[in-house]
Every structure is written in structure tokens, then in C-alpha cells.
Amino acid sequence: MAPMMFAVGFLVLHTTRLGYGLPVLKRRVVESRRDAVEMAFLAAIFVGTVVLPLVYLTKPQSLAFAEYDAWRWLPWVGAPSMIGASWLFWRSHADLGRNWSVTLELREDHTLITHGIYERIRHPMYAAVWLWGIGQLLLLPNWLAGGANLLAFIPLYLVRVPREERMMLDHFGVAYRSYMRRTGRVWPRRAGDD
Ligand code: SAH
């Protein structure tokens, strides 16, 4: 049952990504900070969010060596995580629109988005991937397939966020600086923080 719940979220998340992401690929990239480190992270995240979950969902016996008996309550946390991830992923794609990129890039006529879900947090899409990773871990009773998402995403998040903010600061200057002051990374800033 829990893997079925995961499968629904998995489909929603990947459909959202393809639906919003594919049309954006046509837009010209004017600056790219994609390097070997980024490429390695992207490969790992592809394995963790696409390959291993798909292998588990279609041929679980091939990953039997990593199976374990999950506590019965895990889906009660895992399913809401996947629902939250699906909503946040969709909302951030809808708000970021044509400015989205799978890596550190700026596109032609790139605009700084500070409205919608971006009004309170700077990285809602990464917040969604945190929730997805937690959902995957709790809904797939397999250390490898369940843990692969967070295993790949945690280092990507830690390295990419400061680099992405540097790129945005270099390009948008004071506008991004003041946006940073008003917002939190994945959690809204408390009122009065300064
Ligand atoms: N970090 C954001 C966006 C992820 S997509 C999030 O988690 O929601 C990554 C690309 O989005 C970056 O390469 C950058 O070009 C773009 N980007 C990030 N924040 C942005 C913003 N506030 N407005 C416009 N583009 C942004």
C-alpha cells in the first residue's frame, strides 16, 4: 500500500516537472554556471528520483537485499510529505514559469520572481524536494530505493544553494539582496527578523 501511495506522488511530481520544464528548455540560456560538480549532482539526483524508485516499483525483487520491515506508522508521515511535496512543486513551477532551469543558469529575459510562493521563501522547489525525499524514505521499505533521493539531494542542496544565490546576486544585485532580507531559504522568515 505505501509504495502505491509513493507511486501516485511520483507520477504527479514527474508530470509536473515535464509539463512545466520541457517548454522552458527552448528558451536561450544567457549564463551558465554548470560545471563537473553540478553534472555529478544531476546524475546522482536522476538515479535517486527516477531510476531507483522506478526499479523498486516495477521489479522490487531486484532490490530485495535492501528490504526491511518498516514500522506501520511510517506512511502516516510519508503520505502527507508526498502530498505537500506535490503541491509545493507544482506551485513553485507555476510561479517560476519560464525562469526555471534544472541547473545553475539564467535564461534570456530572466526575471526575478518574488511573488506567489516566492514571496516568503527563496527555494520552494528545493523545499518540495526535501518533502519528496522524506516521503520516499518513509513510503518505500527499502534502504536503497527509499534513501537514494535524500542521499543525492542533501549534498546538492548544500552546495547549490549558496552558488545559486551568488549567481542571483551577481545578476540582480540589490533587488536580490533586499529579497534575501525579506525571505527565508525553505522556511519563511519570522516577522521582525532583520
Ligand atoms: N531555487 C529555486 C529555483 C530552482 S530552479 C527554488 O527552489 O524554487 C533553479 C533556477 O531558478 C536557477 O538556476 C535560477 O536561474 C532560477 N531562480 C532561482 N530563484 C529565482 C527567482 N527568485 N526568480 C527567478 N529565477 C530564479
Side-chain angles (χ1 to χ4, degrees):
M1 188 63 189
M4 282 312 291
M5 293 179 196
F6 172 78
V8 173
F10 177 85
L11 275 178
V12 171
L13 285 156
H14 284 297
T15 308
T16 304
R17 167 56 45 96
L18 291 176
Y20 282 96
L22 286 181
V24 176
L25 295 182
K26 289 199 290 269
R27 297 186 63 85
R28 204 160 68 87
V29 172
V30 291
E31 181 175 342
S32 176
R33 299 196 181 181
R34 189 181 61 188
D35 56 12
V37 175
E38 264 290 307
M39 294 304 285
F41 282 145
L42 288 174
I45 204 84
F46 183 72
V47 173
T49 60
V50 180
V51 179
L52 284 171
L54 265 185
V55 170
Y56 182 81
L57 291 172
T58 55
K59 273 181 161 262
Q61 68 279 15
S62 62
L63 300 175
F65 64 90
E67 245 164 55
Y68 68 97
D69 283 331
W71 292 318
R72 297 176 71 96
W73 56 267
L74 290 184
W76 291 96
V77 184
S81 291
M82 285 305 277
I83 293 168
S86 301
W87 181 81
L88 202 52
F89 204 60
W90 160 74
R91 198 54 258 165
S92 44
H93 266 292
D95 287 334
L96 194 59
R98 60 184 177 79
N99 303 293
W100 174 77
S101 184
V102 75
T103 182
L104 292 168
E105 287 171 347
L106 292 165
R107 297 188 182 272
E108 196 162 42
D109 300 323
H110 204 108
T111 47
L112 177 61
I113 302 296
T114 60
H115 65 261
I117 193 79
Y118 286 86
E119 197 175 328
R120 306 292 304 283
I121 50 176
R122 299 193 288 286
H123 304 291
M125 212 173 277
Y126 301 155
V129 182
W130 274 113
L131 288 173
W132 176 354
I134 293 167
Q136 187 166 324
L137 181 69
L138 301 185
L139 291 175
L140 300 185
N142 183 289
W143 289 116
L144 186 61
N149 184 334
L150 282 180
L151 199 67
F153 180 64
I154 289 171
L156 179 144
Y157 177 84
L158 293 176
V159 173
R160 183 184 285 175
V161 167
R163 296 186 69 196
E164 184 172 319
E165 295 186 341
R166 183 73 259 158
M167 180 180 79
M168 298 302 280
L169 276 171
D170 290 346
H171 193 75
F172 293 102
V174 285
Y176 196 75
R177 170 79 57 210
S178 90
Y179 174 59
M180 286 177 86
R181 278 201 210 102
R182 311 194 291 275
T183 51
R185 279 185 165 161
V186 291
W187 198 257
R189 244 177 121 83
R190 280 173 300 153
D193 273 6
D194 238 338

